[in-house]
Amino acid sequence: MSLIFDLHRPGQTGLRLLGPDATAEATDLPAHLRREQPPALPEVSEPEVVRHYTRRSRENFSIDTAFYPLGSCTMKHNPKINDVVASLPGFAQLHPHAAEGDCQGALELMHRLEAALSEITGMAAVSLQPAAGASGELTAMLMVRAYHAARGERRTTVLIPDSAHGTNPASAHLAGFTIAEIPSAADGRIDLAELRRAVNHDTAAMMVTNPNTLGVFETEIQAAAEILHDGGGLLYMDGANLNAILGKVRPGDMGFDLVHLNLHKTFSTPHGGGGPGAGPVAVTAALAPFLPGPRVARSADGYRWAHDDHAIGRVHGFAGNFGVLVRAYAYIRTLGAAGLTQVSDQAVLNANYLQAMIGDALPLAFASPFLHECVLTAKELAKRHHVTALDLAKRLIDHGVHPPTIYFPLIAPEALMVEPTETESKATLDAAAAAFRAIVREALESPASLHEAPHTTALSRLDETRAARHPVLVEPLTPAAP
Ligand SMILES: *Cc1c(COP(=O)(O)O)cnc(C)c1O
């Protein structure tokens, strides 16, 4: 595999930034800002650049090329029409400093999206600012702190079940809280007896994912909310798994006070490539004054930015990741209430179908009914045949299936977390099930070949820590002569 730097040949050129005779002196740049040496960039022709990056892109796995059952990530097909809508010049080329009178359409879209997300979550108010799930969590935790402070209370602990996503404790810690872990019961759900023991005058909030990271619905969530509220704490929902319950049950009705949504999981923004996301936070009326501002308000003569005194401040520049908001709005309007409910119906059916097709080869880690994703375990294979969840995941790549999430949640040994999503056909699920079964058979018959997998990719097993510990970001080149 070559880097673009390997194609460097002095004198080759793809484009000219300045005229042939231009020098640094000919520009308006002040002398102290000018480079002394030309940058060490590779010199390559335009077709070489195009071919290089096209080749590289074809080595990537993507939702546009194959099945991608990466649990917890909701890697579903996102309708391309929503990209087209977000690319309309009126949205895409709108200047972030545009005067209110010149961007009424964009403000109206955000106002309407807030209303739609309020309805979907059963909450009173929404901020669209946070940039992703984790930043929604942090925003919510800062609001929890401000809420208690406004009531003259100092509460320093946030409770988090041991099945939680790692961002939950990280966000609570970043907001200045101490974390107390709640052990799960044998069925993978929150243990209410443990929760009762843990809640006290120091409890600021509990963070819960529902359905949780095993895909299991917390059936006693209202009782959990009561325990929290009786103790003066708040209940926060990590809404990353909203795909499972869209149109079925609402966080507000379950007793939650705050929830974040991942628009880049549930609401039609592709993710996984490091692009922008959005993690709006929806809250009850009691918490609405603490939302970050400014938010869009509607008045007699149109829409405007409204600033609120109690707000925790800004958590993102301008209007957040606006293009993501446009996609979400277009998606919600296209599907409507009936379509969104069908999303969760189909997501749950697909997960349960796929598990039924592979369950005798790879058992569930927790034998509880699950919704849109399930956690399988390779514990026995690892013990008896020295084939781990990692080996199975790597071998799936050779069958054209993206590996599921592995070794998460932490409470499941040798975990493979499978989330097919609602957008996959029965034929795709059948092919994936056949791949899973073939690999487990191979693990029993000739485990050695699995330890070397994948066999069909440009690179096979990578050293998982070397890239982080010894990054080589750029091959040094000799700078071109000035
Ligand atoms: C994805 C995810 C998050 C974090 O969301 P980001 O948008 O990646 O920051 C948090 N919790 C759960 C359960 C998730 O699946």
Side-chain angles (χ1 to χ4, degrees):
M1 193 173 87
S2 64
L3 300 175
I4 188 81
F5 290 90
D6 298 332
L7 303 178
H8 168 73
R9 268 180 298 142
Q12 292 258 83
T13 176
L15 79 167
R16 230 177 235 124
L17 289 176
L18 302 167
D21 301 324
T23 59
E25 283 72 27
T27 72
D28 293 332
L29 215 55
H32 73 281
L33 291 177
R34 283 184 215 146
R35 291 177 178 278
E36 282 161 18
Q37 295 288 332
L41 296 175
E43 293 173 56
V44 274
S45 71
E46 183 163 325
E48 281 173 334
V49 173
V50 171
R51 286 174 195 150
H52 175 78
Y53 284 109
T54 304
R55 271 199 308 272
R56 287 292 87 91
S57 75
R58 288 156 107 189
E59 287 166 5
N60 280 339
F61 208 106
S62 77
I63 185 66
D64 284 353
T65 51
F67 184 45
Y68 209 133
L70 191 67
S72 215
C73 289
T74 311
M75 300 296 291
K76 61 189 186 183
H77 168 75
N78 298 293
K80 302 299 177 205
I81 183 72
N82 299 329
D83 288 342
V84 175
V85 173
S87 308
L88 291 173
F91 289 136
Q93 290 173 26
L94 190 56
H95 196 281
H97 278 305
E100 283 170 347
D102 293 337
C103 60
Q104 284 292 301
L107 293 176
E108 180 173 354
L109 182 141
M110 286 190 282
H111 195 72
R112 286 178 177 219
L113 179 60
E114 283 186 13
L117 297 179
S118 288
E119 188 179 335
I120 287 167
T121 55
M123 292 291 188
V126 175
S127 166
L128 300 172
Q129 270 184 26
S135 77
E137 294 169 26
L138 175 61
T139 302
M141 288 302 111
L142 292 173
M143 291 175 66
V144 166
R145 220 172 70 167
Y147 170 85
H148 290 304
R151 294 157 57 93
E153 291 206 42
R154 204 181 119 75
R155 291 171 173 259
T156 61
T157 306
V158 168
L159 309 177
I160 302 179
D162 57 7
S163 60
H165 194 270
T167 49
N168 290 186
S171 301
H173 180 76
L174 210 56
F177 292 108
T178 305
I179 286 89
E181 195 173 88
I182 307 288
S184 299
D187 63 0
R189 294 189 172 95
I190 297 167
D191 191 325
L192 286 191
E194 294 282 357
L195 178 60
R196 263 186 216 101
R197 252 195 298 284
V199 171
N200 58 36
H201 62 274
D202 193 38
T203 307
M206 175 158 78
M207 303 177 85
V208 175
T209 309
N210 202 16
N212 66 25
T213 59
L214 297 165
V216 175
F217 190 76
E218 298 285 359
T219 42
E220 296 185 297
I221 193 64
Q222 283 174 312
E226 217 167 287
I227 295 169
L228 256 294
H229 292 152
D230 286 350
L234 297 169
L235 188 60
Y236 169 78
M237 180 163 133
D238 176 332
N241 288 344
L242 198 74
N243 239 55
I245 55 170
L246 261 182
K248 301 287 179 188
V249 60
R250 309 190 303 169
D253 300 335
M254 287 188 255
F256 286 98
D257 302 288
L258 317 92
V259 56
H260 91 253
L261 308 178
N262 301 58
L263 298 190
H264 47 289
K265 291 181 181 172
T266 313
F267 294 104
S268 190
T269 281
H271 81 301
V281 172
V283 297
T284 57
L287 282 145
F290 301 95
L291 282 169
R295 293 173 52 225
V296 180
R298 189 177 185 175
S299 60
D301 37 72
Y303 297 87
R304 60 184 176 79
W305 289 113
H307 299 259
D308 196 315
D309 286 346
H310 294 285
I312 57 166
R314 270 187 176 281
V315 296
H316 199 292
F318 302 107
N321 286 328
F322 181 64
V324 179
L325 308 181
V326 177
R327 285 176 181 82
Y329 181 72
Y331 182 72
I332 290 168
R333 289 304 302 264
T334 310
L335 266 64
L340 292 175
T341 307
Q342 207 185 341
V343 164
S344 55
D345 283 337
Q346 196 73 37
V348 172
L349 177 63
N350 278 2
N352 279 267
Y353 177 75
L354 186 56
Q355 191 274 333
M357 298 292 284
I358 56 182
D360 56 342
L362 272 175
L364 283 168
F366 287 79
S368 301
F370 58 88
L371 298 184
H372 69 305
E373 65 190 352
C374 59
V375 178
L376 310 173
T377 178
K379 191 170 68 174
E380 290 302 314
L381 279 180
K383 206 177 341 174
R384 303 227 171 100
H385 303 276
H386 306 288
V387 171
T388 63
L390 177 72
D391 295 329
L392 298 175
K394 294 291 187 193
R395 189 68 169 125
L396 274 174
I397 298 171
D398 291 330
H399 288 259
V401 173
H402 190 279
T405 298
I406 54 175
Y407 300 106
F408 176 75
L410 303 179
I411 56 172
E414 294 295 332
L416 293 116
M417 181 192 227
V418 182
E419 179 182 10
T421 83
E422 74 279 6
T423 55
E424 299 300 338
S425 67
K426 180 170 176 296
T428 301
L429 300 180
D430 286 337
F436 271 94
R437 302 175 70 91
I439 290 165
V440 171
R441 212 176 312 122
E442 188 181 358
L444 302 176
E445 289 163 7
S446 54
S449 68
L450 277 149
H451 297 144
E452 320 263 286
H455 303 290
T456 54
T457 50
L459 294 174
S460 185
R461 288 278 171 120
L462 301 177
D463 181 332
E464 307 219 325
T465 51
R466 209 175 88 201
R469 295 200 178 144
H470 305 285
V472 181
L473 300 179
V474 170
E475 289 288 330
L477 281 180
T478 317

